[in-house]
Amino acid sequence: VLEENLIANPREDHRTTVVHFGYSARDQVKRIKDLGVLVSANPYYVKTLSDLYSREGVGYERSQDMVRLGDLEREDIIFSLHSDMPMAPAAPLILMDSAMNRLNFANKVAGPKQRITALAALKAVTLNAAHTMQLEDRYGSISIGKVANFTVLDKNPLTIDPQEIKNIKVQGTFSRGNYFPISLQK
């Protein structure tokens, strides 16, 4: 349907977005790329549902490819991460952890080939999230002319062990150029 609509009403920057991206086939990733589609995925589905669904429902093989972000990263498809709160915590570092490590509640890695890099995960909660919402001219990176909203972390998510992403502490937040320290965290 999207392909037909793009032919009938061509638009260079349509930003059609597949939301959730729970289940897909490998060939659909190629089709997404060819059509210039974006993805907004919830990587927490893997954490909460992959083990259960491997035993009840879709089976082991399909549960391993839930939220196939690794395939998107390898194809250079723009994707962002969302929490679908209250389904998952509205916490970007938890989403990054889920996407990078794919460790489920059974303490098993679900679909190791679908893990993504720290850089891809960070972009998915910053630059790509802003791009998906067509707000990249105002948000998503620290640049002249953009709104100065960003978070100060106690560790660099790009250089630490991926298993430690979820343990990074937020030290404070800049909002519109004003700093708000967080002193309640242990």
Side-chain angles (χ1 to χ4, degrees), residues 67-140:
V67 193
R68 56 173 67 242
L69 297 176
D71 289 344
L72 296 181
E73 182 179 12
R74 284 185 287 280
E75 290 291 336
D76 293 319
I77 295 169
I78 296 173
F79 63 90
S80 59
L81 302 178
H82 69 267
S83 71
D84 214 20
M85 190 178 157
M87 163 53 191
L93 293 168
I94 298 295
L95 297 176
M96 290 175 64
D97 171 68
S98 297
M100 292 168 58
N101 296 307
R102 295 181 64 92
L103 194 62
N104 63 27
F105 282 153
N107 206 31
K108 297 175 187 169
V109 175
K113 290 181 180 178
Q114 298 306 330
R115 291 177 178 156
I116 61 172
T117 63
L119 181 58
L122 184 60
K123 288 172 82 173
V125 297
T126 57
L127 291 166
N128 293 354
H131 179 81
T132 300
M133 297 184 300
Q134 298 185 11
L135 295 172
E136 71 274 15
D137 60 330
R138 297 187 62 216
Y139 300 100

